[in-house]
């Protein structure tokens, strides 16, 4: 993977009334991309507004929950948004975890890395049918898409199919990302060391020969004041209690922290979890200080290691303008 210019992205607020303002701000300040997150609403509705009210930034979900849907139900809105945005749409997908998929969305769960591999393969088969007119004939272990009549076939997209980014932490999903995706969303619960020693080597080992370079997008925690630091500490305590994210802690010898956090989470003792996150753990996952100090830390840690940076401050998502100074400070580093 060769070093490319570091692109800087923003996070959109999950509020339909602020989407237009947020993406116009992103254009004005010079962000490269603007992402929303599927939490309390459907991401594709808001991104339709984002496409209408922006002219330059790439837009997309970081992430939409793949297994809450089928490849076909994702293929249609992604195709529409790619056309409507003039080719600026990036489809970000994530697996979520078993309880949410099975109990919140009432969808099947099992072998998530293999399922995601086929999900993306099926998506590309559907888009290829729409683009070329060839017969749709995807028959896999998890999905079958073998019917596409003219009445339900969109016109070819003048901008081609959108790029597909996957969210991944563990080695199996990282392998899937390397094999079938255009880009990777690195989870915020990550460290520079985990990126260097686990993420990059895994991607490089499994990227097919001759494939385009995989785009790596990271959203590291940032803290510009003490309130930010405590919000990040709380978020780390939540993520650290989840078994899927334990490998990051294990690499640093912090596996016991996961055991403690996991036990407290099962008792609903969320506030008691926060003080367990030491300054050492916080410092490994969060750049904190003034705008200039945070920008210098981000540049030192991630320039040449990732392709995109999105500032992540947990809690209520602020307007992208909140990070205008940090954007300028990071741009000043080249």
């Amino acid at each position: 993977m060769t070093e490319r210019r570091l692109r800087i992205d923003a996070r959109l607020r999950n509020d339909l009334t602020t989407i237009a303002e947020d993406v116009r701000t992103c254009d004005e300040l010079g962000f490269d991309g603007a992402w929303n997150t599927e939490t309390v609403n459907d991401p594709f509705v808001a991104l339709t507004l984002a496409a209408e009210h922006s002219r330059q930034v790439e837009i997309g979900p970081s992430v939409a929950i793949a297994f809450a849907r089928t490849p076909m139900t994702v293929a249609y809105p992604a195709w529409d948004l790619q056309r409507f945005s003039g080719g600026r749409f990036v489809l970000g997908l994530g697996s979520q975890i078993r309880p949410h998929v099975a109990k919140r969305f009432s969808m099947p769960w099992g072998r998530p890395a293999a399922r995601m591999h086929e999900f993306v393969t099926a998506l590309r088969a559907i888009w290829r049918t729409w683009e070329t007119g060839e017969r749709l004939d995807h028959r896999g272990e998890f999905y079958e898409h073998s019917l596409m009549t003219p009445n339900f076939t969109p016109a070819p997209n003048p901008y081609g199919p959108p790029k597909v980014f996957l969210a991944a932490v563990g080695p199996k999903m990282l392998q899937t990302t390397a094999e079938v995706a255009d880009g990777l969303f690195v989870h915020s619960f990550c460290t520079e060391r985990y990126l260097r020693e686990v993420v990059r080597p895994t991607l490089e080992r499994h990227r097919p020969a001759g494939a385009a370079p995989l785009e790596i997008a990271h959203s590291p925690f940032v803290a510009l004041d003490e309130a930010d630091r405590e919000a990040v500490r709380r978020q780390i305590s939540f993520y650290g209690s989840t078994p899927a994210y334990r490998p990051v802690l294990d690499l640093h010898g912090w596996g016991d922290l996961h055991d403690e956090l996991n036990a407290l989470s099962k008792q609903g003792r969320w506030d008691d979890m926060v003080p367990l996150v030491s300054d050492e753990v916080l410092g490994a996952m969060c750049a904190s200080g003034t705008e200039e100090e945070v920008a210098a830390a981000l540049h030192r840690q991630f320039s040449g290691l990732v392709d995109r940076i999105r500032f992540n401050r947990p809690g209520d998502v602020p307007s992208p303008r909140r990070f205008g100074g940090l954007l300028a400070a990071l741009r000043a580093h080249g």
Side-chain angles (χ1 to χ4, degrees):
M1 299 179 186
T2 58
E3 183 174 340
R4 299 184 290 274
R5 182 184 74 89
L6 184 65
R7 309 188 76 191
I8 306 173
D9 300 330
R11 184 179 176 188
L12 301 172
R13 287 174 283 181
N14 281 341
D15 185 341
L16 292 179
T17 65
T18 61
I19 288 294
E21 174 191 342
D22 282 0
V23 292
R24 285 196 291 261
T25 298
C26 289
D27 272 349
E28 172 196 336
L29 295 178
F31 281 100
D32 293 295
W35 312 95
N36 67 352
T37 302
E38 182 169 12
T39 53
V40 298
N41 51 31
D42 184 282
F44 299 117
V45 175
L47 289 167
T48 304
L49 289 172
E52 181 179 13
H53 291 278
S54 60
R55 294 293 177 266
Q56 298 173 14
V57 292
E58 288 185 300
I59 58 170
S62 171
V63 292
I65 308 306
F67 300 158
R69 303 169 171 87
T70 71
M72 188 66 73
T73 60
V74 171
Y76 280 110
W79 197 252
D80 287 340
L81 283 164
Q82 175 73 337
R83 183 193 304 274
F84 189 49
S85 68
R88 293 181 290 117
F89 179 70
V90 178
L91 175 61
L93 297 173
S95 63
Q96 215 5 303
I97 58 176
R98 181 195 298 267
H100 285 276
V101 172
K103 297 179 181 180
R104 184 157 66 98
F105 292 110
S106 190
M107 293 290 280
W109 174 270
R111 300 177 59 211
R115 187 183 294 270
M116 185 66 81
H117 193 290
E118 188 182 326
F119 195 104
V120 177
T121 301
L123 262 178
R124 297 199 191 281
I126 294 166
W127 289 335
R128 189 167 57 251
T129 289
W130 294 348
E131 192 69 24
T132 68
E134 70 179 64
R135 182 172 178 266
L136 178 60
D137 190 24
H138 175 86
R139 302 172 193 267
E141 180 180 358
F142 305 103
Y143 305 104
E144 177 180 338
H145 297 289
S146 56
L147 177 65
M148 182 55 59
T149 59
N151 196 46
F152 298 101
T153 303
N157 198 318
Y159 304 101
K163 293 185 289 187
V164 178
F165 281 32
L166 297 181
V169 176
K172 290 184 179 179
M173 196 64 81
L174 286 170
Q175 178 177 343
T176 289
T177 301
E179 290 174 345
V180 301
D182 301 298
L184 165 71
F185 284 123
V186 178
H187 200 283
S188 298
F189 191 81
C190 190
T191 65
E192 178 189 3
R193 182 180 171 189
Y194 193 80
L195 273 164
R196 290 191 185 278
E197 297 183 17
V198 178
V199 174
R200 288 289 296 256
T202 302
L203 296 176
E204 290 165 0
R205 187 164 59 250
H206 294 288
R207 190 66 171 165
L214 194 75
E215 201 168 337
I216 302 177
H218 186 27
S219 54
F221 292 121
V222 299
L224 299 176
D225 54 36
E226 190 56 35
D228 286 352
R229 283 173 56 85
E230 289 311 300
V232 173
R233 199 185 302 269
R234 179 173 294 274
Q235 192 68 39
I236 290 173
S237 75
F238 170 72
Y239 285 141
S241 71
T242 304
Y245 305 142
R246 178 174 183 146
V248 179
L249 296 175
D250 283 339
L251 180 67
H252 291 266
W254 299 331
D256 289 346
L257 174 60
H258 165 77
D259 294 335
E260 296 178 79
L261 293 173
N262 183 258
L264 290 173
S265 71
K266 291 178 178 178
Q267 300 171 45
R269 295 168 58 185
W270 307 107
D271 289 342
D272 293 335
M273 293 159 57
V274 180
L276 297 181
V277 179
S278 67
D279 287 346
E280 181 185 15
V281 175
L282 180 68
M285 296 191 185
C286 176
S288 61
T290 65
E291 290 174 340
E292 291 73 19
E293 289 169 338
V294 170
L298 292 175
H299 184 267
R300 181 179 64 254
Q301 290 180 300
F302 301 117
S303 181
L305 187 61
V306 303
D307 301 291
R308 311 183 76 117
I309 287 284
R310 183 186 64 191
F311 311 129
N312 189 343
R313 190 269 187 202
D316 293 335
V317 179
S319 162
R321 196 170 297 280
R322 166 78 163 82
F323 296 115
L326 182 52
L327 168 68
L330 188 51
R331 285 266 191 255
H333 285 274

CSV table of all heavy atoms in Angstrom, one decimal, residues 225-269:
chain,number,residue,atom,x,y,z
A,225,ASP,N,-11.1,19.2,25.4
A,225,ASP,CA,-11.2,19.8,26.8
A,225,ASP,C,-11.5,18.6,27.7
A,225,ASP,O,-11.6,17.4,27.2
A,225,ASP,CB,-12.3,20.8,26.9
A,225,ASP,CG,-13.7,20.3,26.3
A,225,ASP,OD1,-14.0,19.1,26.5
A,225,ASP,OD2,-14.4,21.1,25.7
A,226,GLU,N,-11.6,18.8,29.0
A,226,GLU,CA,-11.8,17.8,29.9
A,226,GLU,C,-13.1,17.0,29.8
A,226,GLU,O,-13.2,15.8,30.0
A,226,GLU,CB,-11.6,18.3,31.4
A,226,GLU,CG,-11.5,17.2,32.4
A,226,GLU,CD,-10.4,16.3,32.2
A,226,GLU,OE1,-9.3,16.7,31.7
A,226,GLU,OE2,-10.6,15.1,32.6
A,227,ALA,N,-14.1,17.8,29.4
A,227,ALA,CA,-15.4,17.1,29.2
A,227,ALA,C,-15.3,16.1,28.0
A,227,ALA,O,-15.9,15.0,28.1
A,227,ALA,CB,-16.5,18.1,28.8
A,228,ASP,N,-14.5,16.4,27.0
A,228,ASP,CA,-14.3,15.5,25.9
A,228,ASP,C,-13.6,14.3,26.4
A,228,ASP,O,-13.9,13.1,26.0
A,228,ASP,CB,-13.5,16.2,24.8
A,228,ASP,CG,-14.2,17.2,24.0
A,228,ASP,OD1,-15.5,17.3,24.1
A,228,ASP,OD2,-13.6,17.9,23.1
A,229,ARG,N,-12.6,14.5,27.2
A,229,ARG,CA,-11.8,13.4,27.7
A,229,ARG,C,-12.7,12.4,28.5
A,229,ARG,O,-12.5,11.1,28.3
A,229,ARG,CB,-10.6,13.8,28.6
A,229,ARG,CG,-9.5,14.4,27.9
A,229,ARG,CD,-8.4,15.1,28.8
A,229,ARG,NE,-8.0,14.1,29.8
A,229,ARG,CZ,-7.0,13.3,29.7
A,229,ARG,NH1,-6.3,13.2,28.5
A,229,ARG,NH2,-6.6,12.5,30.6
A,230,GLU,N,-13.6,12.9,29.3
A,230,GLU,CA,-14.4,12.0,30.1
A,230,GLU,C,-15.4,11.3,29.2
A,230,GLU,O,-15.8,10.1,29.5
A,230,GLU,CB,-15.1,12.8,31.2
A,230,GLU,CG,-14.1,13.2,32.3
A,230,GLU,CD,-13.3,12.0,32.8
A,230,GLU,OE1,-13.9,11.0,33.3
A,230,GLU,OE2,-12.0,12.1,32.7
A,231,ALA,N,-15.9,12.0,28.2
A,231,ALA,CA,-16.8,11.3,27.2
A,231,ALA,C,-16.1,10.2,26.5
A,231,ALA,O,-16.7,9.1,26.3
A,231,ALA,CB,-17.4,12.4,26.2
A,232,VAL,N,-14.9,10.4,26.1
A,232,VAL,CA,-14.1,9.4,25.5
A,232,VAL,C,-13.8,8.2,26.4
A,232,VAL,O,-14.0,7.0,26.1
A,232,VAL,CB,-12.8,9.9,24.9
A,232,VAL,CG1,-11.9,8.8,24.4
A,232,VAL,CG2,-13.0,10.9,23.8
A,233,ARG,N,-13.5,8.5,27.6
A,233,ARG,CA,-13.2,7.5,28.6
A,233,ARG,C,-14.5,6.6,28.8
A,233,ARG,O,-14.4,5.4,28.9
A,233,ARG,CB,-12.8,8.1,30.0
A,233,ARG,CG,-12.1,7.1,30.9
A,233,ARG,CD,-11.9,7.8,32.3
A,233,ARG,NE,-11.1,9.0,32.2
A,233,ARG,CZ,-9.8,9.0,32.3
A,233,ARG,NH1,-9.1,7.9,32.4
A,233,ARG,NH2,-9.1,10.2,32.3
A,234,ARG,N,-15.6,7.2,28.9
A,234,ARG,CA,-16.9,6.5,29.0
A,234,ARG,C,-17.1,5.6,27.8
A,234,ARG,O,-17.5,4.4,27.9
A,234,ARG,CB,-18.1,7.4,29.2
A,234,ARG,CG,-19.4,6.7,29.4
A,234,ARG,CD,-20.5,7.7,29.7
A,234,ARG,NE,-20.3,8.3,31.1
A,234,ARG,CZ,-20.7,7.7,32.2
A,234,ARG,NH1,-21.4,6.6,32.1
A,234,ARG,NH2,-20.4,8.3,33.3
A,235,GLN,N,-16.9,6.1,26.6
A,235,GLN,CA,-17.1,5.3,25.4
A,235,GLN,C,-16.1,4.2,25.3
A,235,GLN,O,-16.5,3.1,24.9
A,235,GLN,CB,-16.9,6.2,24.1
A,235,GLN,CG,-17.4,5.6,22.8
A,235,GLN,CD,-18.9,5.4,22.8
A,235,GLN,OE1,-19.6,6.2,23.3
A,235,GLN,NE2,-19.3,4.3,22.3
A,236,ILE,N,-14.9,4.4,25.7
A,236,ILE,CA,-13.9,3.3,25.7
A,236,ILE,C,-14.3,2.2,26.7
A,236,ILE,O,-14.2,1.0,26.4
A,236,ILE,CB,-12.5,3.8,26.1
A,236,ILE,CG1,-11.9,4.7,24.9
A,236,ILE,CG2,-11.5,2.7,26.4
A,236,ILE,CD1,-10.6,5.4,25.2
A,237,SER,N,-14.9,2.6,27.8
A,237,SER,CA,-15.3,1.6,28.8
A,237,SER,C,-16.5,0.7,28.2
A,237,SER,O,-16.5,-0.5,28.5
A,237,SER,CB,-15.8,2.2,30.1
A,237,SER,OG,-17.0,2.9,30.0
A,238,PHE,N,-17.3,1.3,27.4
A,238,PHE,CA,-18.4,0.6,26.8
A,238,PHE,C,-17.9,-0.4,25.7
A,238,PHE,O,-18.2,-1.6,25.7
A,238,PHE,CB,-19.4,1.6,26.2
A,238,PHE,CG,-20.4,0.9,25.3
A,238,PHE,CD1,-21.5,0.1,25.9
A,238,PHE,CD2,-20.4,1.0,23.9
A,238,PHE,CE1,-22.4,-0.5,25.1
A,238,PHE,CE2,-21.3,0.4,23.1
A,238,PHE,CZ,-22.3,-0.4,23.7
A,239,TYR,N,-17.1,0.1,24.8
A,239,TYR,CA,-16.5,-0.7,23.8
A,239,TYR,C,-15.6,-1.8,24.4
A,239,TYR,O,-15.6,-3.0,23.9
A,239,TYR,CB,-15.7,0.1,22.8
A,239,TYR,CG,-16.5,0.9,21.8
A,239,TYR,CD1,-16.1,2.2,21.5
A,239,TYR,CD2,-17.7,0.4,21.3
A,239,TYR,CE1,-16.8,3.0,20.6
A,239,TYR,CE2,-18.4,1.2,20.4
A,239,TYR,CZ,-18.0,2.5,20.0
A,239,TYR,OH,-18.7,3.2,19.2
A,240,GLY,N,-14.9,-1.5,25.4
A,240,GLY,CA,-14.0,-2.4,26.0
A,240,GLY,C,-14.7,-3.6,26.7
A,240,GLY,O,-14.0,-4.6,26.9
A,241,SER,N,-15.9,-3.4,27.0
A,241,SER,CA,-16.7,-4.5,27.6
A,241,SER,C,-17.2,-5.6,26.6
A,241,SER,O,-17.7,-6.6,26.9
A,241,SER,CB,-17.9,-4.0,28.4
A,241,SER,OG,-18.9,-3.5,27.4
A,242,THR,N,-17.1,-5.2,25.3
A,242,THR,CA,-17.6,-6.1,24.2
A,242,THR,C,-16.6,-7.1,23.7
A,242,THR,O,-15.5,-6.7,23.3
A,242,THR,CB,-18.0,-5.2,23.0
A,242,THR,OG1,-19.0,-4.2,23.5
A,242,THR,CG2,-18.7,-6.0,21.9
A,243,PRO,N,-16.9,-8.4,23.8
A,243,PRO,CA,-15.9,-9.4,23.4
A,243,PRO,C,-15.3,-9.2,22.0
A,243,PRO,O,-14.1,-9.5,21.8
A,243,PRO,CB,-16.7,-10.7,23.5
A,243,PRO,CG,-17.7,-10.4,24.5
A,243,PRO,CD,-18.1,-9.0,24.3
A,244,ALA,N,-16.1,-8.7,21.1
A,244,ALA,CA,-15.6,-8.5,19.7
A,244,ALA,C,-14.4,-7.5,19.6
A,244,ALA,O,-13.6,-7.6,18.7
A,244,ALA,CB,-16.7,-8.0,18.8
A,245,TYR,N,-14.2,-6.6,20.6
A,245,TYR,CA,-13.2,-5.7,20.6
A,245,TYR,C,-12.0,-6.0,21.5
A,245,TYR,O,-11.1,-5.2,21.6
A,245,TYR,CB,-13.7,-4.3,21.0
A,245,TYR,CG,-14.9,-3.8,20.1
A,245,TYR,CD1,-16.0,-3.1,20.6
A,245,TYR,CD2,-14.9,-4.1,18.7
A,245,TYR,CE1,-17.0,-2.7,19.8
A,245,TYR,CE2,-16.0,-3.8,17.9
A,245,TYR,CZ,-17.0,-3.0,18.5
A,245,TYR,OH,-18.1,-2.7,17.7
A,246,ARG,N,-12.1,-7.2,22.1
A,246,ARG,CA,-11.0,-7.6,23.1
A,246,ARG,C,-9.6,-7.7,22.4
A,246,ARG,O,-8.6,-7.4,23.1
A,246,ARG,CB,-11.4,-8.9,23.7
A,246,ARG,CG,-10.3,-9.3,24.7
A,246,ARG,CD,-10.7,-10.6,25.5
A,246,ARG,NE,-9.6,-10.9,26.4
A,246,ARG,CZ,-9.7,-11.4,27.6
A,246,ARG,NH1,-10.9,-11.7,28.0
A,246,ARG,NH2,-8.7,-11.6,28.4
A,247,PRO,N,-9.5,-8.1,21.1
A,247,PRO,CA,-8.2,-8.2,20.6
A,247,PRO,C,-7.3,-7.0,20.7
A,247,PRO,O,-6.1,-7.1,20.8
A,247,PRO,CB,-8.5,-8.6,19.1
A,247,PRO,CG,-9.8,-9.3,19.2
A,247,PRO,CD,-10.6,-8.6,20.2
A,248,VAL,N,-7.9,-5.8,20.6
A,248,VAL,CA,-7.2,-4.6,20.7
A,248,VAL,C,-6.5,-4.5,22.1
A,248,VAL,O,-5.3,-4.1,22.3
A,248,VAL,CB,-8.1,-3.3,20.5
A,248,VAL,CG1,-7.3,-2.0,20.6
A,248,VAL,CG2,-8.7,-3.4,19.1
A,249,LEU,N,-7.3,-4.8,23.2
A,249,LEU,CA,-6.8,-4.8,24.5
A,249,LEU,C,-5.7,-5.9,24.7
A,249,LEU,O,-4.7,-5.6,25.4
A,249,LEU,CB,-7.9,-4.9,25.5
A,249,LEU,CG,-9.0,-3.8,25.5
A,249,LEU,CD1,-10.1,-4.2,26.5
A,249,LEU,CD2,-8.4,-2.5,25.9
A,250,ASP,N,-6.0,-7.0,24.2
A,250,ASP,CA,-5.1,-8.1,24.4
A,250,ASP,C,-3.7,-7.8,23.8
A,250,ASP,O,-2.6,-8.2,24.4
A,250,ASP,CB,-5.6,-9.4,23.7
A,250,ASP,CG,-6.7,-10.1,24.5
A,250,ASP,OD1,-6.7,-9.9,25.7
A,250,ASP,OD2,-7.5,-10.9,23.9
A,251,LEU,N,-3.6,-7.1,22.7
A,251,LEU,CA,-2.3,-6.8,22.1
A,251,LEU,C,-1.5,-6.0,23.0
A,251,LEU,O,-0.2,-6.1,23.0
A,251,LEU,CB,-2.6,-6.0,20.8
A,251,LEU,CG,-1.3,-5.6,20.0
A,251,LEU,CD1,-0.6,-6.8,19.4
A,251,LEU,CD2,-1.7,-4.6,18.9
A,252,HIS,N,-2.1,-5.1,23.8
A,252,HIS,CA,-1.4,-4.3,24.8
A,252,HIS,C,-1.2,-4.9,26.1
A,252,HIS,O,-0.7,-4.3,27.0
A,252,HIS,CB,-2.1,-2.9,24.9
A,252,HIS,CG,-2.1,-2.1,23.7
A,252,HIS,ND1,-1.1,-1.1,23.5
A,252,HIS,CD2,-2.8,-2.1,22.6
A,252,HIS,CE1,-1.3,-0.5,22.3
A,252,HIS,NE2,-2.4,-1.1,21.7
A,253,GLY,N,-1.7,-6.1,26.3
A,253,GLY,CA,-1.6,-6.8,27.6
A,253,GLY,C,-2.7,-6.3,28.6
A,253,GLY,O,-2.5,-6.4,29.8
A,254,TRP,N,-3.8,-5.8,28.0
A,254,TRP,CA,-4.9,-5.2,28.9
A,254,TRP,C,-6.1,-6.1,28.9
A,254,TRP,O,-7.2,-5.6,29.1
A,254,TRP,CB,-5.3,-3.8,28.4
A,254,TRP,CG,-4.2,-2.8,28.4
A,254,TRP,CD1,-3.1,-2.8,29.3
A,254,TRP,CD2,-4.0,-1.7,27.5
A,254,TRP,NE1,-2.3,-1.7,29.0
A,254,TRP,CE2,-2.8,-1.0,27.9
A,254,TRP,CE3,-4.7,-1.2,26.5
A,254,TRP,CZ2,-2.4,0.1,27.3
A,254,TRP,CZ3,-4.3,0.0,25.8
A,254,TRP,CH2,-3.1,0.6,26.2
A,255,GLY,N,-6.0,-7.4,28.6
A,255,GLY,CA,-7.1,-8.3,28.6
A,255,GLY,C,-7.9,-8.4,29.8
A,255,GLY,O,-9.1,-8.5,29.8
A,256,ASP,N,-7.2,-8.2,31.0
A,256,ASP,CA,-8.0,-8.2,32.3
A,256,ASP,C,-9.0,-7.1,32.4
A,256,ASP,O,-10.0,-7.2,33.0
A,256,ASP,CB,-7.0,-8.1,33.4
A,256,ASP,CG,-6.2,-9.4,33.6
A,256,ASP,OD1,-6.5,-10.4,33.0
A,256,ASP,OD2,-5.2,-9.4,34.3
A,257,LEU,N,-8.7,-5.9,31.7
A,257,LEU,CA,-9.6,-4.8,31.7
A,257,LEU,C,-10.9,-5.2,31.1
A,257,LEU,O,-12.0,-4.9,31.5
A,257,LEU,CB,-9.0,-3.6,31.0
A,257,LEU,CG,-9.9,-2.4,30.8
A,257,LEU,CD1,-10.4,-1.9,32.1
A,257,LEU,CD2,-9.2,-1.3,30.0
A,258,HIS,N,-10.8,-6.0,29.9
A,258,HIS,CA,-12.0,-6.4,29.3
A,258,HIS,C,-12.8,-7.3,30.2
A,258,HIS,O,-14.1,-7.1,30.3
A,258,HIS,CB,-11.7,-7.2,28.0
A,258,HIS,CG,-12.9,-8.0,27.6
A,258,HIS,ND1,-13.9,-7.4,26.9
A,258,HIS,CD2,-13.2,-9.3,27.7
A,258,HIS,CE1,-14.8,-8.4,26.6
A,258,HIS,NE2,-14.4,-9.5,27.1
A,259,ASP,N,-12.2,-8.2,31.0
A,259,ASP,CA,-12.9,-9.1,31.9
A,259,ASP,C,-13.7,-8.3,32.9
A,259,ASP,O,-14.9,-8.6,33.2
A,259,ASP,CB,-12.0,-10.0,32.6
A,259,ASP,CG,-11.3,-11.0,31.6
A,259,ASP,OD1,-11.9,-11.3,30.5
A,259,ASP,OD2,-10.2,-11.5,31.9
A,260,GLU,N,-13.0,-7.3,33.5
A,260,GLU,CA,-13.7,-6.4,34.5
A,260,GLU,C,-14.9,-5.6,33.9
A,260,GLU,O,-16.0,-5.6,34.5
A,260,GLU,CB,-12.7,-5.5,35.1
A,260,GLU,CG,-11.6,-6.1,35.9
A,260,GLU,CD,-10.6,-5.1,36.4
A,260,GLU,OE1,-10.9,-4.5,37.5
A,260,GLU,OE2,-9.5,-4.9,35.8
A,261,LEU,N,-14.6,-5.0,32.7
A,261,LEU,CA,-15.7,-4.2,32.1
A,261,LEU,C,-16.9,-5.1,31.7
A,261,LEU,O,-18.0,-4.7,31.9
A,261,LEU,CB,-15.1,-3.5,30.9
A,261,LEU,CG,-14.1,-2.4,31.2
A,261,LEU,CD1,-13.5,-1.9,29.9
A,261,LEU,CD2,-14.7,-1.3,32.0
A,262,ASN,N,-16.6,-6.3,31.1
A,262,ASN,CA,-17.6,-7.1,30.7
A,262,ASN,C,-18.5,-7.6,31.9
A,262,ASN,O,-19.7,-7.6,31.8
A,262,ASN,CB,-17.0,-8.3,30.0
A,262,ASN,CG,-18.1,-9.3,29.4
A,262,ASN,OD1,-18.3,-10.3,30.0
A,262,ASN,ND2,-18.7,-8.9,28.3
A,263,ALA,N,-17.9,-7.9,33.0
A,263,ALA,CA,-18.6,-8.3,34.2
A,263,ALA,C,-19.5,-7.2,34.7
A,263,ALA,O,-20.7,-7.5,35.0
A,263,ALA,CB,-17.7,-8.8,35.3
A,264,LEU,N,-19.0,-6.0,34.7
A,264,LEU,CA,-19.8,-4.9,35.2
A,264,LEU,C,-21.0,-4.6,34.2
A,264,LEU,O,-22.1,-4.2,34.6
A,264,LEU,CB,-18.9,-3.7,35.4
A,264,LEU,CG,-18.0,-3.7,36.6
A,264,LEU,CD1,-17.0,-2.5,36.5
A,264,LEU,CD2,-18.7,-3.8,37.9
A,265,SER,N,-20.7,-4.7,32.9
A,265,SER,CA,-21.7,-4.4,31.9
A,265,SER,C,-22.9,-5.3,32.1
A,265,SER,O,-24.1,-4.9,31.9
A,265,SER,CB,-21.2,-4.4,30.5
A,265,SER,OG,-20.9,-5.8,30.1
A,266,LYS,N,-22.6,-6.6,32.4
A,266,LYS,CA,-23.7,-7.5,32.6
A,266,LYS,C,-24.6,-7.2,33.8
A,266,LYS,O,-25.7,-7.7,33.9
A,266,LYS,CB,-23.1,-9.0,32.7
A,266,LYS,CG,-22.6,-9.4,31.3
A,266,LYS,CD,-21.9,-10.8,31.5
A,266,LYS,CE,-21.4,-11.3,30.1
A,266,LYS,NZ,-20.7,-12.6,30.2
A,267,GLN,N,-24.0,-6.5,34.7
A,267,GLN,CA,-24.8,-6.0,35.9
A,267,GLN,C,-25.4,-4.7,35.7
A,267,GLN,O,-26.1,-4.2,36.6
A,267,GLN,CB,-23.8,-6.0,37.1
A,267,GLN,CG,-23.2,-7.3,37.5
A,267,GLN,CD,-22.1,-7.2,38.5
A,267,GLN,OE1,-22.3,-6.5,39.5
A,267,GLN,NE2,-21.0,-7.8,38.3
A,268,GLY,N,-25.2,-4.1,34.5
A,268,GLY,CA,-25.7,-2.7,34.3
A,268,GLY,C,-25.1,-1.6,35.0
A,268,GLY,O,-25.6,-0.5,35.2
A,269,ARG,N,-23.8,-1.9,35.5
A,269,ARG,CA,-23.1,-0.9,36.3
A,269,ARG,C,-22.2,0.0,35.4
A,269,ARG,O,-21.0,0.0,35.5
A,269,ARG,CB,-22.3,-1.6,37.3
A,269,ARG,CG,-23.1,-2.3,38.4
A,269,ARG,CD,-22.3,-3.3,39.2
A,269,ARG,NE,-21.3,-2.6,40.0
A,269,ARG,CZ,-20.4,-3.2,40.7
A,269,ARG,NH1,-20.4,-4.5,40.8
A,269,ARG,NH2,-19.4,-2.5,41.4
